[in-house]
Amino acid sequence: MLRHWLLLCACLGASLAFAGSFFVLSHTQQNQGLQTAASGAALLLLVLVTARWRTVIDAMLSDAPGAAAPRLTDRPRLTLFIASFVALFLELALIRYTRSQLRVFSFFKNVPLIAVYLGLGIGCAIGGGRPRHVIAFLLWFVPLAIFLAGGAFVFAGALGGFAAAASSEQVLGDIVVRDPSEAVAFAGQVGMGVFCLITLLTLASLFVPIGRLLGDAFERLPRLTAYSVNIAGSLIGSAAFLILGYLWTPPWLWVLIGLVPLL
């Protein structure tokens, strides 16, 4: 799994660095280009650091003897509360942040919502949550956050064009495709369908490890206790994000608060 993560992050980091450099050198959208290039460079640096500690991280991701002790799963109430808090908090953060970085999600906003619940449901059904699933979630969340922060604008225009061509309504104010042909409209519909499907599967897969922690903790507790802890963690996660939104806090703080409880 770590090898795939390293490969994906290296490709994404190099792509962001190249795209950002292109925008800077072409003197178009220089500020966003600098942010994209910096995000790509940061991701490449993270890849190098992770590769340096690959043996240690591989041990943490394995079930072999000597791997990380199951600290959280020995305390199911704490596990359930943290997983519930993180799931609801990061779900709201993703819904809010994706629609600001990729404007098509202002109109397809149910896609992240359905994806997160699908991943949590699959994870709960599988169960058997272990600390390695926490590590896996943290690892895979990093490239997603970096892509949304630094690279989303590179694809936003193309996605807006697909959305405008696919819809009979003017869904994006600054992107208009007037009287598209049937072929163009069909291509736009297929393109948006594929994009939404990829987004759905990606986010669902990302949240499966958190769902596994939830499922394992539920099995270790009486039902009434488990549901009470689950609801409490979910409500506190929702309230925490509401307060952060009211205070106009930056997205990096959302990610930090959402991930720190898992450490």
Side-chain angles (χ1 to χ4, degrees):
M1 191 275 285
L2 186 58
R3 181 177 62 181
H4 297 151
W5 183 89
L6 289 170
L7 179 61
L8 182 142
C9 289
C11 293
L12 179 60
S15 300
L16 293 179
F18 175 80
S21 301
F22 173 80
F23 281 107
V24 172
L25 294 176
S26 61
H27 302 287
T28 58
Q29 297 178 303
Q30 285 187 308
N31 290 336
Q32 289 178 314
L34 283 172
Q35 183 178 351
T36 299
S39 299
L43 189 55
L44 290 174
L45 179 61
L46 179 62
V47 168
L48 293 176
V49 173
T50 305
R52 173 67 177 81
W53 294 93
R54 182 172 180 175
T55 303
V56 176
I57 298 175
D58 271 330
M60 296 172 67
L61 290 169
S62 71
D63 287 325
R71 178 171 59 89
L72 282 179
T73 49
D74 284 342
R75 292 182 281 180
R77 285 182 178 82
L78 178 61
T79 300
L80 184 56
F81 179 84
I82 290 176
S84 302
F85 173 90
V86 169
L88 262 293
F89 185 91
L90 289 181
E91 175 195 341
L92 293 174
L94 280 175
I95 292 173
R96 175 65 183 87
Y97 196 46
T98 52
R99 62 194 290 189
S100 66
Q101 297 298 93
L102 296 169
R103 290 183 57 198
V104 294
F105 281 120
S106 296
F107 306 92
F108 297 100
K109 51 191 171 187
N110 283 338
V111 174
L113 175 66
I114 295 171
V116 171
Y117 277 116
L118 177 62
L120 292 174
I122 293 174
C124 283
I126 297 173
R130 296 293 182 269
R132 63 186 176 89
H133 297 126
V134 176
I135 304 298
F137 177 79
L138 292 172
L139 282 175
W140 287 108
F141 197 89
V142 168
L144 173 64
I146 290 179
F147 168 76
L148 288 175
F153 92 97
V154 176
F155 305 94
L159 289 174
F162 274 119
S167 175
S168 59
E169 301 178 2
Q170 186 174 326
V171 296
L172 297 178
D174 56 346
I175 300 177
V176 179
V177 179
R178 299 188 183 280
D179 300 321
S181 64
E182 291 185 3
V184 172
F186 179 74
Q189 292 166 1
V190 171
M192 287 308 303
V194 170
F195 172 73
C196 288
L197 179 61
I198 292 174
T199 302
L200 179 74
L201 295 177
T202 300
L203 293 181
S205 301
L206 177 66
F207 276 84
V208 166
I210 299 299
R212 296 191 68 171
L213 292 175
L214 287 169
D216 183 72
F218 260 99
E219 290 299 321
R220 293 168 178 258
L221 293 171
R223 286 293 180 262
L224 183 58
T225 301
Y227 280 112
S228 299
V229 174
N230 176 243
I231 292 173
S234 301
L235 288 176
I236 292 175
S238 301
F241 186 78
L242 177 64
I243 293 171
L244 291 175
Y246 178 78
L247 296 176
W248 290 76
T249 53
W252 65 263
L253 185 59
W254 307 347
V255 175
L256 185 65
I257 292 177
L259 297 183
V260 163
L262 294 173
L263 299 177

